[in-house]
Amino acid sequence: MNRLYLLGVLLLLLPAFSKAQEYKQIPIETETGIKVHRKAPKQEVQLLFPNLNKIPYYHDQKKLDAIQKLEKKRRYEEALPLLEAYVNNFGIENFYKDTPLIWRLGQLLEKQGQSEKAKSLYRMVLKHHRSDVRRVYSYYDSLEQNSKDYYVPLNYYYEMVEYRKSVATFKPPKGVYLNMGNAINSPYEDYGPTINADDEVLIYTSQRNTQGLNGRANEDLFYTQQVNGYWEEGKSFGKPINSIYNEGSACLSRDGNTLYFARCEAPDGYGNCDLYVATKQADGTWGNIQNLGKQVNSTSWDSQPTLTANEDTIYFASDRLGGFGLSDIYYTYKNKKGEWSPAENAGPVINTRESEVSPFFHPLYQVLYFSSRGQLYNFGDFDIYKTYRVGGQWQEPRNIGPLVNGRGSEYYFTIDSQSKNLYYARSEAQDIHNLDLFSFPLPMEAHPLAVTKIEGTLLDSVTQKPLSGMISVIDLENGIEISSKYIRPDGSFEFDLIDHTRYMLLIQSPDFFTIEREIALEQDTAFQIMTTLIDYSVPMVFSNIEFDQNQSDIKEEMKPILDEVAIFLVDHPTYRLEISGHTDSAGDPEFNLSLSQDRANAIRKYIEDKVNLTDGRIDAYGFGSTKPLREEKTQEDRRINRRVEFRLIKPEKAERGGK
């Protein structure tokens, strides 16, 4: 059934990539049917492919000959509309048999300046090709290098968070990869979570009952109830839902009285696994179990149903013949008679030549989550993606980021009704054959309302050239970091965040002092940040580091720049600092020598105390008046000679975490 099938496809095919979109205000339907204005992605320019669920393959040799003739004569403007109309008529088989035509259409569109539409077609080529397309990958990557995300590796990211705890109250995301524990999970496979509308009952699938049909492991439905914020020990649904046949991957109606689930190898089934429906009886038991019928089910594997917010559409996974890949996402909707319509393929934007499984439709917004190994920008094996429905079309899926997707496989993503917590199944990269249920607060990339774009560019204030570095975003409402990214090659960065929320941007690099920028996000925001590079060959002298005469006490006006130096040392734990104190020639040379040493020591102590540095990374020297910068003829000459120099020393080896 669902797990048995997934284990069969875990060994195949390759990783891939996704892209952020432009935005505008559009109405999104809520579960109540009331339309509220929220930020949502601007509709992408896509072909509609009206023949997808009507014909398997489209071919018209006369039209192909006409297109080819125009292209040979380089009459590309005339060939473009004919080729676009031809590709728009594609059936599912065309996507792997005629992939070069999609690539060619993208090239013609790019020549005409329609680059975004061209890139959407290049993505389809990469998702649906069945041959060597390294040239296409290389070309597409060159187009996307300044628009794709470069995530910081999680191990390095968490090191940075730990270092920064000494100077800030910002915290890493709460409980990432938090296993739900022995009350829910068993030594066997546990997966397929779904939560009711009140967020009080979690239903899931488990293989802990091993006495199945023909002695094989048996999949059954279990449930757990949340009491005082804790999930109780899981309990079996019992008969008649559970049987000697495999049951799993359920979803509930909002009122909790209708249960959709998969059952495998049953006598009344049409294929390996079918979708069923059950209703709650007056006494609280489940009954009236019915197969959804041959309009929905196939002679293959059909499983993992999810209901839309108004409960008139079911999305599910199937490996039936005639799809794009090993398994696809399909849907069925209720017709005017209240009957489920023939199942249809969800199309080439969601589905790929590999496997798409475990769809989840958000209970409030038009957002579909699913697991895939064929989408672009993949962190592990199966990753979870989200896609927005705008203008009746699914937009390019986005990987929901490394705080959910690790190096192993992730499936069965589910969110509670308030979009506070997520529940999903994952396996470690070393053990793909065992799944446990995990739950933790919903990260930003996975949030359905994270669609307000903040973008910027980091430039050198002297040369105007782009700089490299790492940028983190902190949700100031909760003091929690959002996963960090490297700045792109052109100096740009971009995050999708939640509107009407306060954020802090932290930009770090070994080339400049950490930049902090607080933003109260009200709408899409774009800005430019200028900074000055650190020249490691020249000591730094800060104009506001001036002591009172004959004193070595740290003054308030000194603290902001000393804090910058302290934070730099925290963010770059392999770097060292030398502090050199200097005086003018007035007065007793021995007193000046002692005073300069006291001042350097005072600065060292302030920085060490500020960020709890106790490992001797700072050296402090006092030189008195022995190293003047100028001959002292004027008061200005004396002022310049009275200085504190800071020299940051790079480690011999490159710092960890670089691109």
Side-chain angles (χ1 to χ4, degrees):
M1 150 177 179
N2 34 12
R3 272 305 291 149
L4 299 178
Y5 169 78
L6 285 171
L7 292 177
V9 299
L10 275 173
L11 306 175
L12 301 175
L13 300 172
L14 35 93
F17 314 87
S18 126
K19 182 184 183 301
Q21 315 299 330
E22 300 177 11
Y23 308 101
K24 67 175 183 179
Q25 289 277 6
I26 69 164
I28 299 179
E29 287 193 7
T30 68
E31 62 178 343
T32 60
I34 300 171
K35 295 206 172 188
V36 294
H37 281 273
R38 298 277 190 183
K39 283 284 204 181
K42 181 180 178 181
Q43 185 172 353
E44 298 161 3
V45 183
Q46 297 176 352
L47 297 180
L48 298 177
F49 304 114
N51 283 337
L52 274 182
N53 289 289
K54 295 178 181 177
I55 60 172
Y57 185 72
Y58 174 76
H59 181 78
D60 189 319
Q61 192 60 48
K62 287 184 179 180
K63 290 182 179 179
L64 284 175
D65 291 343
I67 294 166
Q68 190 176 24
K69 215 177 268 187
L70 290 170
E71 286 193 302
K72 281 184 177 179
K73 295 178 179 179
R74 299 189 178 184
R75 292 159 61 179
Y76 300 124
E77 290 187 11
E78 296 175 58
L80 174 57
L82 297 182
L83 182 56
E84 186 168 12
Y86 190 92
V87 172
N88 194 52
N89 283 321
F90 273 12
I92 289 175
E93 290 181 13
N94 290 95
F95 283 84
Y96 60 86
K97 290 181 177 178
D98 295 327
T99 316
L101 291 178
I102 304 175
W103 168 251
R104 185 60 185 146
L105 176 58
Q107 289 182 307
L108 291 181
L109 287 166
E110 190 177 359
K111 282 183 178 180
Q112 297 300 316
Q114 299 184 52
S115 58
E116 290 305 313
K117 195 171 183 179
K119 284 193 283 187
S120 72
L121 291 168
Y122 297 154
R123 286 193 290 268
M124 284 188 183
V125 172
L126 297 177
K127 290 179 187 181
H128 296 284
H129 72 89
R130 297 195 180 182
S131 59
D132 185 356
V133 289
R134 280 174 290 185
R135 185 171 63 91
V136 180
Y137 267 111
S138 176
Y139 183 73
Y140 180 75
D141 276 351
S142 69
L143 294 178
E144 289 289 274
Q145 65 173 337
N146 291 318
S147 57
K148 69 181 181 182
D149 293 324
Y150 297 87
Y151 283 101
V152 174
L154 274 188
N155 58 343
Y156 181 66
Y157 161 71
Y158 280 117
E159 286 182 23
M160 298 303 299
V161 171
E162 285 300 314
Y163 293 134
R164 201 181 301 126
K165 280 182 179 178
S166 59
V167 291
T169 58
F170 306 134
K171 306 176 185 66
K174 300 175 185 175
V176 171
Y177 297 162
L178 183 62
N179 191 294
M180 292 190 74
N182 293 335
I184 307 298
N185 291 310
S186 71
Y188 302 93
E189 308 238 350
D190 301 283
Y191 45 92
T194 185
I195 193 166
N196 73 339
D198 297 326
D199 303 331
E200 295 174 349
V201 178
L202 183 79
I203 300 172
Y204 62 101
T205 309
S206 178
Q207 291 188 16
R208 65 191 68 182
N209 293 335
T210 58
Q211 297 301 314
L213 194 65
N214 299 323
R216 295 198 300 267
N218 194 33
E219 294 174 288
D220 283 341
L221 284 172
F222 283 71
Y223 70 94
T224 175
Q225 292 180 296
Q226 188 167 201
V227 178
N228 297 324
Y230 295 93
W231 292 107
E232 294 184 327
E233 187 172 352
K235 300 174 183 177
S236 173
F237 257 74
K239 296 180 179 180
I241 297 296
N242 291 330
S243 68
I244 61 170
Y245 312 109
N246 286 340
E247 287 83 23
S249 296
C251 67
L252 274 172
S253 60
R254 281 198 308 276
D255 62 12
N257 292 326
T258 306
L259 180 75
Y260 296 91
F261 65 100
R263 174 174 283 175
C264 297
E265 301 177 334
D268 62 342
Y270 294 90
N272 177 15
C273 297
D274 282 10
L275 299 182
Y276 287 76
V277 62
T279 54
K280 186 174 282 188
Q281 307 301 296
D283 61 359
T285 62
W286 291 95
N288 193 27
I289 300 174
Q290 297 179 17
N291 188 301
L292 287 190
K294 61 182 180 182
Q295 295 282 76
V296 176
N297 293 307
S298 69
T299 57
S300 300
W301 172 83
D302 301 289
S303 186
Q304 305 169 344
T306 180
L307 273 173
T308 57
N310 55 11
E311 301 186 358
D312 65 353
T313 304
I314 296 175
Y315 284 84
F316 63 98
S318 177
D319 67 354
R320 64 187 63 190
L321 295 176
F324 288 100
L326 297 175
S327 65
D328 283 1
I329 306 297
Y330 286 80
Y331 66 95
T332 176
Y333 57 89
K334 284 185 177 178
N335 58 27
K336 293 179 180 179
K337 295 180 181 179
E339 299 169 340
W340 292 110
S341 65
E344 297 186 22
N345 192 290
V349 175
I350 289 177
N351 293 312
T352 70
R353 71 185 179 98
E354 298 191 11
S355 292
E356 280 68 44
V357 293
S358 59
F360 166 71
F361 203 98
H362 193 278
L364 186 60
Y365 306 110
Q366 297 285 311
V367 186
L368 180 69
Y369 298 83
F370 62 96
S371 184
S372 173
R373 65 183 304 162
Q375 292 292 333
L376 307 183
Y377 301 120
N378 191 287
F379 293 109
D381 192 0
F382 277 88
D383 276 3
I384 294 167
Y385 294 78
K386 68 177 179 180
T387 176
Y388 292 86
R389 191 166 179 81
V390 182
Q393 291 180 269
W394 290 112
Q395 308 302 287
E396 180 65 21
R398 311 176 193 181
N399 190 303
I400 62 175
L403 297 183
V404 174
N405 293 316
R407 294 181 179 178
S409 294
E410 291 77 28
Y411 313 95
Y412 307 103
F413 185 84
T414 297
I415 305 173
D416 63 22
S417 62
Q418 302 302 310
S419 298
K420 296 287 187 183
N421 295 296
L422 64 84
Y423 304 86
Y424 75 127
R426 69 183 302 267
S427 66
E428 299 295 341
Q430 304 89 338
D431 186 10
I432 64 173
H433 297 293
N434 187 37
L435 287 174
D436 272 356
L437 292 178
F438 288 72
S439 175
F440 51 90
L442 189 67
M444 181 63 65
E445 280 102 334
H447 202 289
L449 295 184
V451 291
T452 299
K453 182 184 290 186
I454 181 170
E455 56 186 354
T457 307
L458 180 67
L459 300 175
D460 181 354
S461 59
V462 177
T463 66
Q464 305 291 305
K465 291 182 178 179
L467 298 178
S468 62
M470 183 178 84
I471 182 164
S472 305
V473 179
I474 293 89
D475 174 359
L476 291 177
E477 309 291 337
N478 301 299
I480 298 173
E481 288 209 23
I482 296 158
S483 57
S484 301
K485 300 176 184 178
Y486 290 117
I487 293 169
R488 296 166 178 151
D490 66 348
S492 69
F493 56 87
E494 180 181 297
F495 288 85
D496 290 332
L497 305 174
I498 298 175
D499 213 4
H500 307 295
T501 307
R502 290 172 54 247
Y503 296 99
M504 173 74 77
L505 302 185
L506 292 181
I507 306 176
Q508 303 155 261
S509 171
D511 298 326
F512 51 82
F513 287 116
T514 298
I515 300 166
E516 294 187 7
R517 176 73 61 87
E518 184 173 338
I519 294 175
L521 198 60
E522 298 296 334
Q523 57 186 357
D524 292 351
T525 303
F527 53 87
Q528 192 176 83
I529 297 175
M530 311 292 288
T531 192
T532 303
L533 292 176
I534 296 171
D535 186 347
Y536 293 98
S537 64
V538 178
M540 294 174 287
V541 178
F542 301 106
S543 59
N544 60 343
I545 306 295
E546 291 189 3
F547 290 88
D548 289 336
Q549 187 173 4
N550 297 331
Q551 299 297 314
S552 60
D553 297 327
I554 301 295
K555 299 164 67 176
E556 283 300 315
E557 53 264 36
M558 298 180 185
K559 291 181 178 179
I561 190 59
L562 295 182
D563 290 348
E564 287 281 336
V565 176
I567 291 171
F568 184 92
L569 291 173
V570 168
D571 288 343
H572 304 87
T574 57
Y575 282 57
R576 295 180 55 80
L577 174 67
E578 283 185 2
I579 303 169
S580 303
H582 302 266
T583 67
D584 60 28
S585 60
D588 179 60
E590 287 191 10
F591 175 81
N592 288 341
L593 190 65
S594 176
L595 178 63
S596 64
Q597 184 67 58
D598 289 345
R599 288 173 173 176
N601 288 340
I603 291 174
R604 177 179 63 185
K605 185 177 187 307
Y606 175 87
I607 293 174
E608 288 177 340
D609 291 347
K610 178 71 178 179
V611 294
N612 299 317
L613 288 182
T614 58
D615 53 0
R617 289 172 56 199
I618 303 177
D619 296 316
Y621 304 101
F623 293 98
S625 59
T626 62
K627 293 188 175 184
L629 294 176
R630 287 187 181 183
E631 183 183 354
E632 295 179 1
K633 295 180 179 180
T634 65
Q635 288 296 327
E636 177 63 13
D637 295 333
R638 292 191 178 93
R639 188 191 68 78
I640 288 173
N641 285 337
R642 293 191 303 268
R643 69 196 186 276
V644 176
E645 294 180 353
F646 297 80
R647 185 189 295 272
L648 285 163
I649 303 170
K650 281 185 175 183
E652 291 183 7
K653 294 182 179 180
E655 192 177 31
R656 289 171 298 170
K659 287 169 64 174

